[in-house]
Amino acid sequence: RGNYTTRLLMCQHFTVTPLCCPSRSSILTGQYPHNHEVRNNSLSGNCSSLQWQKGPESTAFPFYLSKQKYQTFFAGKYLNQYGKKDGDVGYVPPGWDQWHALVGNSQYYNYTLSVNGKEEKHGDSYEKDYFTDLITNRSLHFLDDRSPQHPFFLMLSPPAPHSPWTAAPQYQKEFGDVKAPRDGSFDKPGKDKHWLLRQPVNPMPDSSLTFLDSAYRKRWQTLLSVDDMVELLVKKLESIKELDNTYIFYTSDNGYHTGQFSLPIDKRQLYEFDIRVPLMVRGPGIKPNQTLQAPVLNIDLAPTILDISGVNLSSVNVDGQSFLSQMAPSLRNGTVRPVFLVEYTGEGHPTTDPACPKLGPGLSQCFPDCVCEDAFNNTYACVRTLNKDHDLQYCEFADSESFVEVYNLVSDPHQLENVWKKMDPTFLQAMNQQLIKLQSCQGDSCREIK
């Protein structure tokens, strides 16, 4: 839409944990999950809990932006458990001047907001309530009403393309012939992988294929309203003569799979399709049509934003590092990280899922066709080495098998073959030691591991 994309920087961007709440907590704090201690989407997994609010959230990056006299604005989905119990809708996290946060998980209609700590209920009118459009309009008003004497920061978090995939009325017939791509690991058996990847029926039944294709189309339909949001925001920045003085980050919290290894739809897995996340940046000092080859992590977003704002990063407790030096070399010098960590704590139900009794307790996300996408022992940690010579991933599961998966993504980009049994034991031991260090790292030590 227009020529705005010609000045974008593309990044090789990864989430350090492939699930909404812990990933968003990492974006806000710049910390790995083992440090901010948000493990999954549940309150017991620390999602928007009192422990989170009193601890990591109190010094998340908006707190520092506020100290730098930034005018701050948030609108959209925040954390999955926000406003549902601890602190309820009256709680506004530190650092936000304007706060329009969804209570609970993604909705497009019939939702509740916390508007600067006051409850605001919405219905099912497209013109009044469609959530992506509502947060767009409120962000435009914020830009009109801001003080030109101080810098500003907006964070917009639309529900799209999250379920329930409710597109705006004008987009509900788009992409009618589109199906999920059938390439790579699509509908391949999860041979030599963790047991959760070995349980789906292969090949997938027609019912699963129909379900995932429908989800894929609807996700695309919802994103057309996000396209509108981006276009309106960029035009507004242009009209107020701030576009060339503003950094715009376009990204998400996790990847997604639709049929890979016969898993119909979800995230939570250690593979590329769930941990790679789009990241595009535009702003001062960025040359057009660049692609960063060095990996960027979602824990790097907070320190990069604070670096742009002028905060001394040595005073901030983050595990990530600013990539401003890579985006705009004329503005900063910096170093490239050699390795990084991906970690996840699985969720399960203590009782058997009625829709899938044959698999017993301890599982969750069992849909469609009794394919479970998560379990308590889908708990893992991975070392990823990505540079011009290597692209390796080494993962250990916290389960009764102590299961290990190793992939050489140079020769096997779709992670079809677990080469653990073919690797030199000395190499495996070295990767294990590196993983142990990463799982206990904090701050500087996370950036110093080679």
Side-chain angles (χ1 to χ4, degrees):
R1 301 198 178 190
N3 296 318
Y4 301 123
T5 58
T6 58
R7 296 179 58 183
L8 284 176
L9 170 79
M10 309 288 287
C11 300
Q12 287 211 79
H13 178 232
F14 297 84
T15 178
V16 297
T17 185
L19 187 64
C20 334
C21 197
S23 177
R24 288 163 182 254
S25 302
S26 286
I27 290 169
L28 288 163
T29 60
Q31 295 176 356
Y32 281 118
H34 67 260
N35 287 325
H36 63 59
E37 297 188 313
V38 177
R39 293 298 186 175
N40 51 45
N41 287 345
S42 65
L43 200 59
S44 61
N46 228 8
C47 180
S48 202
S49 66
L50 280 174
Q51 180 184 339
W52 154 260
Q53 292 171 6
K54 292 179 178 179
E57 189 179 42
S58 66
T59 53
F61 78 79
F63 167 77
Y64 291 98
L65 289 180
S66 180
K67 290 178 72 173
Q68 294 289 97
K69 306 299 183 188
Y70 268 69
Q71 301 162 89
T72 56
F73 174 94
F74 178 86
K77 173 187 170 181
Y78 184 57
L79 301 173
N80 297 52
Q81 299 292 334
Y82 171 76
K84 291 173 73 174
K85 191 173 182 183
D86 287 351
D88 66 35
V89 296
Y91 171 72
V92 178
W96 296 108
D97 298 319
Q98 291 291 321
W99 179 252
H100 305 258
L102 182 67
V103 172
N105 204 356
S106 297
Q107 295 291 330
Y108 297 78
Y109 295 110
N110 300 308
Y111 53 85
T112 300
L113 293 182
S114 168
V115 178
N116 300 321
K118 293 185 178 179
E119 183 179 85
E120 181 180 286
K121 289 189 174 293
H122 284 264
D124 56 6
S125 162
Y126 172 69
E127 290 76 14
K128 295 178 183 177
D129 303 311
Y130 190 68
F131 194 38
T132 304
D133 292 359
L134 180 135
I135 66 174
T136 301
N137 293 332
R138 293 190 181 185
S139 70
L140 300 176
H141 287 305
F142 170 78
L143 288 172
D144 282 332
D145 296 341
R146 83 201 190 290
S147 165
Q149 273 73 48
H150 296 287
F152 59 84
F153 174 82
L154 290 86
M155 189 171 186
L156 291 179
S157 181
H162 200 286
S163 63
W165 313 308
T166 311
Q170 66 270 29
Y171 296 136
Q172 288 180 0
K173 293 184 180 179
E174 298 294 324
F175 310 120
D177 298 327
V178 168
K179 292 184 176 182
R182 263 54 173 175
D183 54 0
S185 58
F186 184 89
D187 209 12
K188 293 286 195 294
K191 182 185 175 187
D192 297 327
K193 290 177 164 53
H194 188 243
W195 77 270
L196 200 63
L197 274 288
R198 301 195 300 267
Q199 49 95 31
V201 174
N202 178 269
M204 283 184 285
D206 288 344
S207 54
S208 286
L209 291 169
T210 300
F211 181 85
L212 70 89
D213 282 333
S214 174
Y216 192 87
R217 280 191 295 276
K218 289 176 179 177
R219 284 163 61 80
W220 274 26
Q221 291 167 358
T222 66
L223 284 170
L224 290 172
S225 294
V226 178
D227 285 355
D228 294 337
M229 179 184 80
V230 172
E231 183 176 28
L232 288 166
L233 272 169
V234 170
K235 285 183 174 177
K236 172 61 74 175
L237 289 168
E238 200 169 38
S239 72
I240 62 175
K241 296 182 169 50
E242 292 287 6
L243 180 60
D244 292 335
N245 194 35
T246 301
Y247 285 94
I248 302 172
F249 295 78
Y250 183 89
T251 189
S252 190
D253 48 4
N254 48 253
Y256 204 74
H257 55 261
T258 46
Q260 285 70 32
F261 296 123
S262 299
L263 295 169
I265 61 159
D266 203 36
K267 49 263 184 172
R268 307 168 199 263
Q269 310 305 332
L270 57 88
Y271 308 102
E272 289 287 273
F273 43 73
D274 284 359
I275 65 171
R276 273 192 185 260
V277 183
L279 172 61
M280 294 169 275
V281 189
R282 165 200 168 106
I286 295 177
K287 293 180 180 178
N289 300 320
Q290 284 191 92
T291 299
L292 284 188
Q293 296 305 317
V296 173
L297 309 182
N298 64 342
I299 57 172
D300 298 338
L301 291 167
T304 303
I305 291 166
L306 294 179
D307 195 4
I308 290 167
S309 76
V311 169
N312 181 352
L313 294 180
S314 66
S315 66
V316 181
N317 179 22
V318 292
D319 303 328
Q321 61 190 42
S322 171
F323 60 99
L324 181 58
S325 62
Q326 295 163 259
M327 290 197 301
S330 61
L331 303 181
R332 291 282 191 283
N333 294 319
T335 57
V336 174
R337 85 163 45 73
V339 296
F340 61 91
L341 174 70
V342 177
E343 55 186 347
Y344 177 67
T345 301
E347 287 183 82
H349 298 304
T351 57
T352 298
D353 187 331
C356 197
K358 67 180 182 182
L359 290 174
L363 296 105
S364 65
Q365 314 299 314
C366 298
F367 66 92
D369 299 315
C370 193
V371 177
C372 298
E373 302 268 0
D374 207 3
F376 284 132
N377 68 1
N378 184 39
T379 296
Y380 57 80
C382 304
V383 178
R384 184 63 180 271
T385 302
L386 177 58
N387 55 46
K388 61 184 175 60
D389 300 316
H390 301 289
D391 191 352
L392 293 167
Q393 187 174 23
Y394 170 93
C395 302
E396 295 181 2
F397 281 84
D399 63 7
S400 59
E401 298 178 286
S402 299
F403 202 82
V404 175
E405 295 187 29
V406 181
Y407 298 98
N408 180 351
L409 285 98
V410 174
S411 60
D412 180 21
H414 300 297
Q415 296 163 297
L416 300 176
E417 183 185 10
N418 177 9
V419 295
W420 166 57
K421 293 179 181 177
K422 296 181 179 179
M423 302 304 290
D424 185 316
T426 307
F427 166 82
L428 294 174
Q429 186 176 16
M431 296 298 280
N432 167 265
Q433 291 303 305
Q434 208 168 41
L435 182 59
I436 290 170
K437 289 178 182 177
L438 279 166
Q439 285 183 283
S440 60
C441 77
Q442 187 171 15
D444 288 343
S445 65
C446 297
R447 302 183 288 273
E448 292 167 356
I449 294 170
K450 298 288 192 287

